[in-house]
Amino acid sequence: MAVNSLRDQAVALLRNGTPNAEVARHLRVPPGTIGNWKHHDLAERGRLPERRQSTCLRCHGDPLDGAAYSYLLGLYLGDGYIGQPKQHRTLSLAITCGNDWPGLMDEAEQAIRSVLPHNTPCRVRRIGCHDIKVYSKHLACYFPQHGPGRKHERPIVLQDWQQLIVDEHPWELLRGLIHSDGCRITNWATRTVNGEVRRHEYPRYFFTNTSTDIVGIFTGTLDAVGVDWKAAARARGAVNISVARKASVALMDEHIGPKH
């Protein structure tokens, strides 16, 4: 059978809604050829779908959900990383979430959808965790802190436009940082009252990071919202930030709360 005759039959079937794979099997033509014929037919009729332009506040001036971005920025500074595998042409952002916190996975995915509405995130299973992942050539625009090496080995400084967003949505940044590299726990201590040893329990927030710049961003934002904190050095250069005063914990509970 002539190629033109096969193409005409394929195009007729495709226009009737027959799937590419089914047309390929019926006519015994490679699926790639069927896809090519379909593309050219749509092009000739002016029916090709328009390619969506990737969202970017810096390249295209697209609007930005400031609250979602501030939260996502906190996640990125804590447990996120941007990379480009050799087999991919674009950058990928991955936010690592432990399997014990399914609610955080949902929040991370929703934040990505709000910041990059034209990009679809996915979940990649790891041992004991999932990476909430998205691909975009504009990730370096949204996160200019991206660079070679680990975050604690290079300067991490917010740009002016990022700082303006954080100033407007400070609690969202703090939520993202706590949800990534922090926690809310119940501490306890004992004291003797009238010869009786009593146990006293109280809630407390912790944030731990090795980057002095990221710790500075965290504590600077705590200062801005009126939360008292204390710092303590840990092994391998990490710094531990503790929030234990009752009024400050209550303020954190109002805006952040425990992981879920």
Side-chain angles (χ1 to χ4, degrees), residues 11-24:
V11 168
L13 290 170
L14 292 168
R15 289 183 182 181
N16 287 331
T18 307
N20 290 24
E22 187 174 332
V23 174

Side-chain angles (χ1 to χ4, degrees), residues 21 23 32 52 82 84 103 108 177 187 195 197 227 236 242 252 255:
V23 174
R52 293 185 302 179
I82 293 174
Q84 185 172 0
L177 289 168
N187 259 20
V197 177
V227 171
R236 299 182 180 179
S242 167
M252 297 278 280
H255 295 278

Side-chain angles (χ1 to χ4, degrees), residues 22-236:
E22 187 174 332
V23 174
R25 286 194 297 269
H26 177 70
L27 298 179
R28 297 182 180 180
V29 175
T33 301
I34 297 297
N36 188 48
W37 286 346
K38 181 176 183 178
H39 177 85
H40 283 289
D41 176 58
L42 291 172
E44 289 170 1
R45 295 186 291 141
R47 300 287 297 275
L48 281 176
E50 292 185 7
R51 186 174 183 178
R52 293 185 302 179
Q53 177 175 275
S54 297
T55 305
C56 184
L57 77 162
R58 301 185 69 187
C59 296
H60 310 308
D62 291 320
L64 178 65
D65 185 328
Y69 176 77
S70 191
Y71 177 67
L72 187 59
L73 176 62
L75 293 177
Y76 163 70
L77 292 177
D79 278 337
Y81 64 92
I82 293 174
Q84 185 172 0
K86 293 181 179 179
Q87 66 271 28
H88 296 292
R89 293 180 295 176
T90 58
L91 295 172
S92 66
L93 166 68
I95 306 295
T96 303
C97 298
N99 290 339
D100 291 336
W101 319 116
L104 299 194
M105 297 186 201
D106 294 339
E107 288 201 53
E109 183 174 322
Q110 183 55 52
I112 290 173
R113 292 182 184 277
S114 297
V115 174
L116 299 166
H118 292 169
N119 301 78
T120 303
C122 62
R123 302 190 183 193
V124 180
R125 183 181 300 174
R126 306 293 186 192
I127 298 177
C129 63
H130 281 71
D131 281 347
I132 312 304
K133 203 165 190 177
V134 67
Y135 292 86
S136 172
K137 63 181 181 181
H138 295 286
L139 287 172
C141 299
Y142 282 93
F143 302 99
Q145 290 71 33
H146 167 60
R150 300 176 181 178
K151 289 197 286 286
H152 69 272
E153 296 174 345
R154 64 179 189 267
I156 301 293
V157 180
L158 298 184
Q159 294 192 357
D160 290 344
W161 65 269
Q162 291 178 297
Q163 189 62 58
L164 288 174
I165 293 174
V166 170
D167 291 344
E168 188 175 355
H169 304 282
W171 284 110
E172 296 305 311
L173 177 78
L174 293 173
R175 284 183 69 245
L177 289 168
I178 290 291
H179 283 178
S180 54
D181 274 349
C183 64
R184 182 191 188 276
I185 66 169
T186 299
N187 259 20
W188 62 271
T190 59
R191 60 182 176 180
T192 302
V193 179
N194 297 327
E196 180 184 353
V197 177
R198 296 182 181 179
R199 178 178 172 125
H200 171 62
E201 296 184 348
Y202 57 96
R204 194 171 190 173
Y205 282 86
F206 284 107
F207 174 76
T208 304
N209 200 285
T210 308
S211 168
T212 55
D213 287 342
I214 294 175
V215 171
I217 291 171
F218 179 72
T219 56
T221 309
L222 289 179
D223 291 338
V225 296
V227 171
D228 294 323
W229 53 273
K230 289 185 178 180
R234 295 187 61 180
R236 299 182 180 179

